[in-house]
Amino acid sequence: MKWSKFTLKTLSEAEDIVISALADVGVEGVEIEDKVPLTESDKQQMFVDILPEGPADDGIAYLSFYVEEGQETEGLLTRVREALDELRSFMDIGECTITAGETEDKDWINNWKQYFHQFYVDDILIIPSWEEVQPQDKDKMIIHIDPGTAFGTGMHETTQLCMRQLKKYVTADTQLLDVGTGSGILSIAALKLGAKHAVGTDLDPCAISATKENMEANEIAPEKMDVMIGNIIDDKEIQDAVGYEKYDIVVANILADVLVPLTPVILHQMKKGALYITSGIIDDKEETVVNAVKAAGLEVLEVTHQGEWVSVTARKA
């Protein structure tokens, strides 16, 4: 079987949010090509001791998606272009030119599984459904996560930075708001750490099914978490549904360019004294986010780093 291949040129820093926008208009899977160096964790997952040096990161990413030959593409491409134009209104996504090609059939469903294996974030074991928990790990905190339908496997430094902060601050009374919940991994981690309830918001409709599946895999009761689809930055309906001044912790693992407009808005959802845990911040954007947090009247408590990524934790006065 042949497939039509469409490749979109964007910025590597904007990969996640562009992919999310593509999902919103019906693109079900995206192949990523960039020159972002592999982290040590990435290398460990690939079972390779020494990798050749790659080319220097030029900040460019190519995102490819596939449509079965014979299926209508004109409407899909129109929706894609409209979604990209909307993104451009509030962040830099690069050229976003789209080129067309053709490719032979592949096993899209299973090929990626060879790169994702169980691993630890400190003392938390994260494991996909196709691997078994070893006897020595039975007593550990275990999070079962399947990637593929939504973002958030725990492998990325930004997710790990947030998880460490949640370990530090979650209590039995914690009401959590998870902005950009993706697979629900941060909410699930918080609930396993004892949080009372979580609400997740996301732009990607896949987040609902992915989070529910991962909640079930982790034996999290349905009433412990709600997921809402929409942009909490400017959607009053979502803001109202999420509620005001009711959260003890807000966690937002998103791009810095989204955190800046999000921060003054999300204050209204936070209780007095609530914590704001952010990541998705590349190191050269640290000052930008810290300044935005301070400008919103929040007190910066901690700035933590892993690799080239940053997490900022602050408190509402």
Side-chain angles (χ1 to χ4, degrees):
M1 182 185 299
K2 291 184 180 295
W3 298 73
S4 297
K5 176 180 179 179
F6 299 96
T7 300
L8 186 156
K9 183 178 180 181
T10 184
L11 304 179
S12 54
E13 189 181 39
E15 284 174 8
D16 287 354
I17 197 164
V18 171
I19 293 171
S20 180
L22 293 177
D24 287 344
V25 298
V27 175
E28 296 181 356
V30 175
E31 186 176 81
I32 303 171
E33 296 177 66
D34 59 31
K35 296 176 184 175
V36 177
L38 292 173
T39 66
E40 288 305 313
S41 176
D42 293 334
K43 294 174 185 177
Q44 290 168 13
Q45 298 298 320
M46 296 176 71
F47 296 99
V48 178
D49 292 327
I50 300 175
L51 288 170
E53 288 295 324
D57 181 14
D58 57 5
I60 301 299
Y62 295 90
L63 309 179
S64 297
F65 58 94
Y66 299 82
V67 180
E68 189 176 340
E69 191 175 55
Q71 290 188 353
E72 189 274 332
T73 59
E74 185 175 343
L76 175 63
L77 291 177
T78 297
R79 295 194 301 273
V80 166
R81 293 187 177 99
E82 288 173 350
L84 295 175
D85 287 341
E86 184 176 347
L87 280 182
R88 283 193 186 94
S89 68
F90 66 89
M91 67 178 293
D92 184 7
I93 56 173
E95 292 182 17
C96 276
T97 51
I98 301 173
T99 56
E102 193 176 82
T103 186
E104 295 293 334
D105 195 12
K106 293 184 179 181
D107 184 2
W108 306 112
I109 300 300
N110 293 302
N111 282 352
W112 57 270
K113 290 184 178 180
Q114 64 185 299
Y115 301 112
F116 183 55
H117 303 279
Q118 58 184 283
F119 64 99
Y120 277 103
V121 178
D122 298 337
D123 57 347
I124 299 174
L125 176 64
I126 298 175
I127 185 169
S129 61
W130 57 89
E131 294 193 358
E132 294 185 4
V133 177
Q134 299 302 309
Q136 66 268 24
D137 292 323
K138 297 287 187 183
D139 296 330
K140 304 288 187 183
M141 177 191 259
I142 299 169
I143 299 179
H144 298 272
I145 290 289
D146 277 359
T149 55
F151 304 113
T153 64
M155 288 182 65
H156 200 279
E157 290 97 328
T158 61
T159 310
Q160 295 179 24
L161 285 164
C162 288
M163 289 180 72
R164 292 190 180 99
Q165 295 305 92
L166 290 173
K167 281 180 62 181
K168 190 179 299 186
Y169 292 111
V170 164
T171 72
D173 296 321
T174 296
Q175 294 279 353
L176 179 84
L177 175 58
D178 181 4
V179 181
T181 192
S183 65
I185 185 171
L186 292 176
S187 292
I188 289 168
L191 292 167
K192 280 183 166 272
L193 288 164
K196 192 171 186 178
H197 187 263
V199 172
T201 69
D202 206 285
L203 300 177
D204 186 351
C206 290
I208 292 180
S209 57
T211 297
K212 287 181 177 178
E213 289 169 8
N214 287 322
M215 286 174 64
E216 184 176 351
N218 287 280
E219 299 181 343
I220 302 290
E223 64 269 18
K224 297 288 285 185
M225 182 178 180
D226 301 307
V227 185
M228 305 175 189
I229 300 304
N231 189 342
I232 198 168
I233 294 176
D234 58 15
D235 188 332
K236 184 65 163 52
E237 185 176 341
I238 292 296
Q239 293 169 3
D240 291 345
V242 167
Y244 300 94
E245 296 186 354
K246 61 180 291 186
Y247 296 95
D248 302 286
I249 297 177
V250 173
V251 61
N253 183 22
I254 317 178
L255 294 174
D257 288 341
V258 182
L259 288 171
V260 171
L262 171 68
T263 300
V265 173
I266 213 64
L267 280 177
H268 303 295
Q269 274 65 45
M270 298 166 64
K271 294 178 182 176
K272 183 178 180 179
L275 297 175
Y276 184 46
I277 298 170
T278 68
S279 195
I281 308 161
I282 197 74
D283 51 15
D284 63 4
K285 296 277 188 169
E286 176 182 333
E287 185 177 357
T288 300
V289 174
V290 168
N291 288 341
V293 167
K294 289 179 177 178
L298 294 164
E299 175 194 2
V300 175
L301 301 181
E302 293 183 78
V303 178
T304 55
H305 301 80
Q306 184 174 340
E308 61 184 352
W309 297 95
V310 181
S311 172
V312 177
T313 300
R315 179 185 285 126
K316 180 178 177 181

